[in-house]
């Protein structure tokens, strides 16, 4: 659960029931700083003389605002559209793409006009009839740590559970999911968890839940009939990597219900980085030991027109063969979206 040190309310946010509730909740806590600002004045209340300090202060900051532009961004290949409930994440994962995508806005922002967002989702769904439209709730965020405050995921799960032609999905590294368990989801919401070995989580995924707790949360959700998925990412090649990823998946198998309502969804993604990301990461985490040596990688142009450094082809082939074999061996009732 996210416990902010400061909460910034943008103009008119308190005019919405959720905004008013959050203002009452946080303003009674003497340990939390409260600010009320115009939309473009948020950063002036986040302390720090440089990016290193601003990043850490931002990760302790919650911004409560209104989603004014209701033009949803596309979200290929994960979904048709992003569902803009939250942006940002309390986690401090060294490799995270949000380090560059959100740039100097590392704070967590929640939108209080959830009814407007869901109404727009309905409009997009109608445009694609009779096709099913899929919405991703965690494209630029992890919405789970703020769920105890917003209940936005609960509202969305209930809404999409009632929709014949719309579906919802999101991914998390956190475990505040008990309020989601007995909702009428009707199999229309897929919940995924990002998983990695303990070595990687301990080294790079700061302020996130352990793999043990993530697996326990996934198992609990599965027992309530939710479609469940796992993103194993980013996969790193390091001493004993195969043994540790094997142990991770063995543990996952042992903790999940024996009888699954839905096939498990797996996505496996190898570590890659851009030079822009490397520059940002080393500024935020000056002592990082993330493996980002261009001499050990292969340069590849991505689908969005910029280049990234990936593992060499032979290592990626080895990685794909390993995960293909181990997933086939341990999880016969599954769907593997991709291994890249």
């Amino acid at each position: 659960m996210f416990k902010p040190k400061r909460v910034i309310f943008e103009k008119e946010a308190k005019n919405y029931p959720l905004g008013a509730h959050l203002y009452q909740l946080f303003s009674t806590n003497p340990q939390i700083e409260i600010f009320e600002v115009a939309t473009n004045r948020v950063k002036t209340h986040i302390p720090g003389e440089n990016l290193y300090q601003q990043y850490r202060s931002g990760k302790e900051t919650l911004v409560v605002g209104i989603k004014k532009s209701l033009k949803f961004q596309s979200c290929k290949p994960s979904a048709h559209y992003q569902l803009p409930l939250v942006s940002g994440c309390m986690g401090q994962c060294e490799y995270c793409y949000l380090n560059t995508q959100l740039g100097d806005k590392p704070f967590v922002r929640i939108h209080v006009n959830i009814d407007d967002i869901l109404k727009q989702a309905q409009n997009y769904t109608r445009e694609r009839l009779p096709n099913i439209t899929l919405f991703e709730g965690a494209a630029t965020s992890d919405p789970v740590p703020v769920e105890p405050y917003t209940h936005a995921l609960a509202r969305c799960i209930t809404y999409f559970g009632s929709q014949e032609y719309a579906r919802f999905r999101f991914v998390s590294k956190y475990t505040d999911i008990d309020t989601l368990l007995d909702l009428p989801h009707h199999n229309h919401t897929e919940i995924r968890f990002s998983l990695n070995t303990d070595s990687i989580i301990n080294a790079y995924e700061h302020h996130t839940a352990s793999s043990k707790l993530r697996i326990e949360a996934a198992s609990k959700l599965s027992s309530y009939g939710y479609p469940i998925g796992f993103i194993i990412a980013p996969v790193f090649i390091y001493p004993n990597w195969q043994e540790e990823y094997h142990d991770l998946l063995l543990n996952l198998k042992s903790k999940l219900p024996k009888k699954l309502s839905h096939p498990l969804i797996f996505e496996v993604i190898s570590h890659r980085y851009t030079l822009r990301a490397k520059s940002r990461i080393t500024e935020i985490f000056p002592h990082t030991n993330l493996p980002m040596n261009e001499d050990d990688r292969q340069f590849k142009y991505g689908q969005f027109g910029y280049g990234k450094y990936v593992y060499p082809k032979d290592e990626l082939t080895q990685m794909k063969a390993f995960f293909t074999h181990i997933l086939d061996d341990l999880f016969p009732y599954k769907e593997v979206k991709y291994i890249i």
Side-chain angles (χ1 to χ4, degrees):
M1 180 175 176
F2 184 35
K3 297 181 179 180
K5 287 189 175 181
R6 67 193 60 83
V7 181
I8 302 173
F9 288 84
E10 292 181 342
K11 186 178 180 181
E12 299 180 1
K14 292 193 300 178
N15 294 344
Y16 290 79
L18 177 57
H21 166 72
L22 293 175
Y23 185 81
Q24 183 178 22
L25 175 68
F26 290 118
S27 62
T28 58
N29 188 334
Q31 297 181 334
I32 297 178
E33 293 182 286
I34 302 293
F35 301 96
E36 298 182 58
V37 301
T39 302
N40 62 353
R41 301 283 293 176
V42 167
K43 289 194 295 182
T44 62
H45 296 282
I46 299 177
E49 297 180 358
N50 51 50
L51 182 61
Y52 177 92
Q53 295 173 348
Q54 291 166 359
Y55 173 86
R56 283 152 181 80
S57 296
K59 290 290 185 176
E60 299 171 334
T61 302
L62 177 65
V63 177
V64 180
I66 301 167
K67 181 62 178 175
K68 294 182 178 179
S69 171
L70 291 174
K71 180 180 180 181
F72 291 5
Q73 299 296 314
S74 65
C75 196
K76 298 177 181 179
S78 174
H80 296 103
Y81 296 103
Q82 299 178 20
L83 192 73
L85 301 172
V86 182
S87 67
C89 174
M90 62 177 274
Q92 298 185 27
C93 298
E94 295 186 16
Y95 55 75
C96 183
Y97 74 98
L98 294 181
N99 290 335
T100 49
Q101 185 162 349
L102 295 181
D104 59 351
K105 302 179 180 65
F107 47 81
V108 179
R109 182 196 297 271
I110 61 175
H111 298 125
V112 296
N113 55 329
I114 299 173
D115 288 340
D116 296 336
I117 293 169
L118 290 178
K119 184 177 180 180
Q120 181 68 347
Q122 189 174 53
N123 292 335
Y124 281 117
T125 301
R126 286 172 178 162
E127 290 177 1
R128 300 190 69 258
L129 289 175
N131 298 309
I132 289 176
T133 302
L134 181 59
F135 295 89
E136 170 61 60
T140 59
S141 69
D142 192 317
V144 171
V146 294
E147 179 64 10
Y149 304 125
T150 68
H151 305 292
L153 291 175
R155 290 185 61 185
C156 291
I157 289 169
T158 301
Y159 166 78
F160 284 102
S162 69
Q163 299 300 302
E164 183 177 2
Y165 294 102
R167 300 292 184 271
F168 184 44
R169 71 198 307 245
F170 62 90
V171 60
S172 183
K173 293 177 180 174
Y174 297 92
T175 59
D176 301 290
I177 49 83
D178 285 354
T179 56
L180 310 180
L181 295 177
D182 57 359
L183 297 175
H185 60 80
H186 296 138
N187 307 322
H188 290 183
T189 292
E190 175 191 297
I191 302 178
R192 292 121 63 220
F193 285 86
S194 175
L195 286 183
N196 224 310
T197 66
D198 289 340
S199 293
I200 298 304
I201 291 174
N202 293 336
Y204 306 125
E205 298 186 5
H206 312 300
H207 305 286
T208 66
S210 67
S211 63
K212 176 177 180 291
L213 292 177
R214 298 180 206 179
I215 290 171
E216 288 177 358
S219 178
K220 193 181 294 186
L221 287 161
S222 180
S223 69
Y224 278 79
Y226 279 95
I228 296 297
F230 299 97
I231 301 179
I232 306 172
V235 176
F236 290 89
I237 294 178
Y238 59 94
N240 299 320
W241 69 274
Q242 292 186 348
E243 291 85 350
E244 293 193 13
Y245 282 105
H246 186 202
D247 289 345
L248 173 69
L249 293 170
L250 276 174
N251 187 44
L252 174 62
K253 178 180 175 64
S254 71
K255 295 298 190 296
L256 290 174
K258 301 305 178 186
K259 292 185 178 181
L260 298 170
S261 303
H262 310 276
L264 299 173
I265 306 298
F266 285 100
E267 302 163 70
V268 183
I269 306 172
S270 60
H271 178 247
R272 68 280 312 279
Y273 66 92
T274 65
L275 291 181
R276 180 185 173 207
K278 180 179 179 179
S279 175
R280 173 74 61 166
I281 290 166
T282 52
E283 192 171 357
I284 298 172
F285 301 100
H287 303 295
T288 185
N289 63 354
L290 271 173
M292 296 186 294
N293 185 344
E294 288 79 70
D295 292 338
D296 298 330
R297 298 295 181 98
Q298 177 179 323
F299 185 78
K300 179 182 179 181
Y301 278 105
Q303 60 176 318
F304 301 109
Y306 58 85
K308 62 187 73 174
Y309 287 90
V310 302
Y311 281 109
K313 186 176 180 179
D314 58 339
E315 293 184 343
L316 289 176
T317 299
Q318 180 188 23
M319 186 185 296
K320 185 171 184 177
F322 167 76
F323 280 103
T324 299
H325 171 73
I326 204 68
L327 291 175
D328 285 345
D329 183 49
L330 295 179
F331 304 99
Y333 192 42
K334 69 174 182 313
E335 178 186 354
V336 179
K337 293 284 189 179
Y338 42 75
I339 302 176
I340 56 174

